């Protein structure tokens, strides 16, 4: 039975990688091809020189950020989850917390086959909900536009990420204050002393995460 | 026809809508495969359904936030392209920044409906796609090898009841680091964004963090002390909603 289960999971995982790669390549071709297709339809092709210059100035930082995101989030999400998450985007503000929340609720551990299943289910569901909400929103945009763009509601939508991190912080910090206190203090002091860093917060995840992992490793070694 | 009307025309809706529909099919394929695999591997179907319910409720509010990003960009890029960008691969914080930078390099100075041309639009659209595609490229090239190297374990080593190793602890720590960086940025922004230690910056994100954290504490109390586990399905989304409502109310004061 266990052998069957192992074999089954291995086959499932191999197929996930195959499907993930094929689908990702197709989506890549569609995304890069779409501006050319639109250009052909509208009679104005992209200016490749401007694209090259633009990439050198605004694109490189996002390329580095993509490498960091790939290295950090792929192990968190597993194979199926990470293929989907990189196709559908919105990682930090939606997919990662969503998958972590689902993992905790299901009581599974990172790196296990169960986490692979839960993470894939969670990100697929989250992506579909986003697609449906956006499609409905675009469809109903005219009547919704006034309501959603009303100035009174703007502070709510400008604070989606703080609202998310407040809720997640309570969940994660309360049982792990020994791990959380140092990165939280360090980041607060750093941002107070160099406020311009707020424009590169996603890059500051690296030292903050490294410090948290370092402390958790010391605690892990002590417990062993 | 104005440029924005051209960018809102039927062919663009068809092109963008078709790509989004294809991505929706990919999500459905992965979802059905994962569900079936979970059942075959002996996972509790109730847990699998709860994962889906919780993930769906969790995603509604951020998705509405993303929709606002679509609306914000639609003024200068039309509706179909931002709809595609934020449904597939994009990220709220990324799109506006890159679109603005791309518009400068496309020779129209910046994102604005008045200066937009069709040629500038296709240039901006291509640069937006190229700048953010690297996560997908890395996934195609290295996902399998990377996961293998860091050790996706064999099923027999990782049964649900087996004590976890450092990997699980490290991932939680990484998430703590991520949350710390963002909360640190809100604190730093409040304290020093208008001059070092002037305490005149935007305090709203900090209030929202505190309110949503407090509401989450109530949900955890209900779940753990009062044994109402069902609230877990809505705890994050509801905490966010209350936190965001607090932002609206404080702004009205």
């Amino acid at each position: 039975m266990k052998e069957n289960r192992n074999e089954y999971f291995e086959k499932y995982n191999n197929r996930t990688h195959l499907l993930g790669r094929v689908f990702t390549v197709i989506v890549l071709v569609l995304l890069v091809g779409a501006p050319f297709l639109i250009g052909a339809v509208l009679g104005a092709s992209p200016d490749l020189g401007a694209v090259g210059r633009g990439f050198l100035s605004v694109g490189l930082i996002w390329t580095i950020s993509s490498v960091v995101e790939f290295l950090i989030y792929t192990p968190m999400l597993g194979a199926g989850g990470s293929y989907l998450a990189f196709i559908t985007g919105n990682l930090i503000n939606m997919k990662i917390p969503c998958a972590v929340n689902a993992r905790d609720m299901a009581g599974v551990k990172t790196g296990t086959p169960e986490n692979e299943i839960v993470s894939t289910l969670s990100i697929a569901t989250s992506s579909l909900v986003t697609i449906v909400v956006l499609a409905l929103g675009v469809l109903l945009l005219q009547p919704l536009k006034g309501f959603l763009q009303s100035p009174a509601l703007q502070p709510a939508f400008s604070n989606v990420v703080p609202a998310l991190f407040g809720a997640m912080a309570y969940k994660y910090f309360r049982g792990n204050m020994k791990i959380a206190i140092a990165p939280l203090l360090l980041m607060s002091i750093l941002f107070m002393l160099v406020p311009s860093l707020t424009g590169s917060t996603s890059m500051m995840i690296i030292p903050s995460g490294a410090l948290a992992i370092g402390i958790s490793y010391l605690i892990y070694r002590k417990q062993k | 026809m104005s440029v924005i009307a051209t960018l809102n025309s039927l062919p663009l809706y068809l092109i963008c809508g078709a790509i989004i529909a294809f991505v929706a099919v990919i999500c459905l394929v992965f979802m059905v495969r994962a569900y079936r695999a979970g059942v075959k591997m002996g996972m509790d179907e109730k847990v699998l359904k709860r994962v889906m319910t919780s993930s769906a409720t969790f995603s509604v509010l951020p998705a509405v936030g993303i929709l606002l990003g679509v609306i914000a960009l639609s003024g200068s890029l039309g509706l179909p392209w931002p709809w595609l960008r934020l449904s597939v691969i994009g990220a709220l914080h990324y799109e506006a920044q890159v679109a603005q930078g791309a518009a400068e390099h496309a020779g129209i100075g910046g994102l604005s409906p008045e200066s937009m041309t069709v040629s500038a639009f296709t240039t901006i659209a291509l640069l937006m796609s190229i700048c953010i595609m690297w996560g997908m490229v890395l996934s195609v090239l290295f996902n399998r090898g990377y996961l293998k190297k860091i050790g996706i374990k064999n099923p027999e080593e990782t049964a649900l009841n087996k004590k976890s190793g450092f990997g699980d602890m490290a991932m939680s720590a990484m998430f703590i680091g991520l949350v710390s960086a963002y909360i640190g940025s809100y604190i730093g922004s409040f304290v020093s964004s208008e001059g070092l230690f002037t305490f005149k910056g935007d305090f709203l994100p900090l209030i929202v963090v505190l309110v949503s954290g407090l509401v989450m504490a109530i949900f955890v109390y209900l779940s753990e002390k009062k044994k109402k586990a069902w609230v877990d399905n809505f705890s994050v989304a509801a905490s966010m909603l209350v936190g965001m409502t607090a932002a609206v109310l404080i702004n009205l004061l």
Side-chain angles (χ1 to χ4, degrees):
Chain A
M1 178 66 188
K2 190 185 268 186
E3 197 53 44
N4 286 344
R5 190 175 180 269
N6 294 348
E7 278 175 22
Y8 176 79
F9 180 71
E10 197 161 330
K11 272 185 195 165
Y12 169 81
N13 213 24
N14 287 338
R15 187 111 179 121
T16 298
H17 281 293
L18 178 68
L19 285 173
R21 283 172 170 171
V22 170
F23 282 143
T24 305
V25 169
I26 295 173
V27 173
L28 267 172
V29 171
L30 291 173
L31 277 175
V32 177
F36 290 100
L37 182 59
I38 292 170
V41 171
L42 300 181
S45 295
D47 175 351
L48 295 181
V51 170
R53 289 191 300 278
F55 180 75
L56 287 176
S57 69
V58 294
L60 284 179
I61 182 72
W62 292 103
T63 306
I64 296 166
S65 174
S66 296
V67 174
V68 172
E69 285 188 344
F70 173 78
L71 292 174
I72 293 173
Y73 299 138
T74 301
M76 248 185 216
L77 301 174
S82 54
Y83 282 116
L84 273 185
F86 284 112
I87 287 174
T88 55
N90 287 299
L91 276 91
I92 291 175
N93 57 329
M94 183 189 271
K95 305 293 160 47
I96 302 295
C98 186
V100 170
N101 187 49
R103 182 196 73 178
D104 290 350
M105 203 180 71
V108 297
K109 306 291 181 191
T110 304
T112 62
E114 289 82 3
N115 185 58
E116 172 68 39
I117 302 295
V118 166
S119 169
T120 306
L121 267 183
S122 167
I123 291 171
T125 309
S126 176
S127 304
L128 279 171
V129 167
T130 310
I131 287 172
V132 169
V133 168
L134 261 63
L136 285 175
V138 167
L139 201 68
L140 304 170
L141 189 63
Q142 288 315 313
L144 271 180
K145 206 173 176 179
F147 173 68
L148 291 174
Q149 285 185 318
S150 64
L153 275 188
Q154 294 318 299
F157 291 110
S158 308
N159 284 286
V160 169
V161 176
L164 174 66
F165 285 143
M168 300 308 280
Y170 180 79
K171 274 186 91 168
Y172 277 86
F173 285 8
R174 72 187 189 110
N176 298 295
M177 273 318 285
K178 280 183 187 169
I179 299 173
I181 195 79
L184 186 60
L185 271 177
L186 177 74
M187 286 296 117
S188 302
I189 293 167
L190 204 61
F191 282 107
M192 279 188 239
L193 293 174
V194 193
S196 60
L197 279 175
T198 47
S200 339
T201 308
S202 61
M203 299 302 285
M204 299 313 294
I205 294 169
I206 305 167
S208 180
L211 180 61
I213 289 174
I215 295 166
S216 75
Y217 184 68
L218 291 176
I219 293 170
Y220 175 75
R221 287 289 299 269
K222 213 173 168 184
Q223 284 172 350
K224 263 190 106 178
Chain B
M1 195 191 279
S2 74
V3 174
I4 297 301
T6 307
L7 300 181
N8 281 323
S9 59
L10 185 63
L12 267 80
Y13 273 104
L14 290 177
I15 293 168
C16 297
I19 298 174
I20 293 167
F22 179 68
V23 172
V25 171
I26 297 175
C27 294
L28 272 175
V29 169
F30 272 78
M31 181 194 275
V32 171
R33 286 185 73 245
Y35 190 90
R36 284 182 182 160
V39 172
K40 280 199 176 176
M41 285 162 55
M43 292 177 76
D44 187 346
E45 283 195 65
K46 278 183 191 164
V47 171
L48 298 177
K49 283 176 184 162
R50 272 185 71 193
V51 163
M52 291 164 73
T53 313
S54 156
S55 301
T57 54
F58 186 102
S59 304
V60 171
L61 283 176
V64 173
I66 293 166
L67 176 63
L68 286 180
V70 174
I71 294 170
L73 286 174
S74 65
S76 47
L77 295 174
L79 198 51
W81 186 255
W83 173 37
L84 169 66
R85 297 294 319 167
L86 288 169
S87 296
V88 181
I89 203 177
L92 206 51
H93 62 284
Y94 159 86
E95 301 296 341
Q97 283 183 45
V98 173
Q100 172 68 27
E104 288 167 17
H105 286 277
I108 57 168
L111 270 185
S112 87
E114 292 81 25
S115 54
M116 185 60 66
T117 64
V118 175
S119 174
F121 169 80
T122 54
T123 304
I124 292 168
L126 182 60
L127 189 56
M128 286 169 87
S129 293
I130 288 176
C131 284
I132 206 170
M133 69 183 191
W134 302 105
M136 291 166 82
V137 173
L138 290 169
S139 260
V140 171
L141 297 175
F142 304 117
N143 185 311
R144 189 186 184 107
Y146 180 47
L147 281 176
K148 206 172 175 182
K149 193 168 184 182
I150 61 158
I152 277 278
K153 299 158 191 158
N154 291 324
E156 70 268 24
E157 292 173 325
T158 57
L160 273 172
N161 56 359
K162 189 171 164 53
K163 200 179 169 187
S164 65
F166 177 64
D168 202 50
M169 214 170 154
M171 288 309 147
S172 293
M174 189 66 228
F175 197 77
I176 288 170
L178 184 154
V179 175
S180 299
Y182 275 89
I183 294 181
S185 78
Y186 305 144
I187 294 171
S189 210
F190 166 60
V191 174
S192 295
S193 68
E194 300 294 321
L196 286 185
F197 297 98
T198 50
F199 295 87
K200 286 182 178 170
D202 186 8
F203 60 87
L204 214 48
L206 269 180
I207 302 279
V208 172
V209 164
L210 288 173
V211 171
S212 58
L214 190 67
V215 178
M216 179 53 101
I218 296 169
F219 278 118
V220 169
Y221 172 79
L222 289 174
S223 171
E224 292 181 0
K225 304 286 180 193
K226 298 290 178 185
K227 307 294 174 204
K228 296 184 190 300
W230 58 269
V231 300
D232 286 340
N233 284 330
F234 308 98
S235 58
V236 176
S239 304
M240 285 174 68
L241 188 61
V242 177
M244 288 160 68
T245 308
V248 173
L249 294 176
I250 289 167
N251 198 54
L252 288 175
L253 291 176

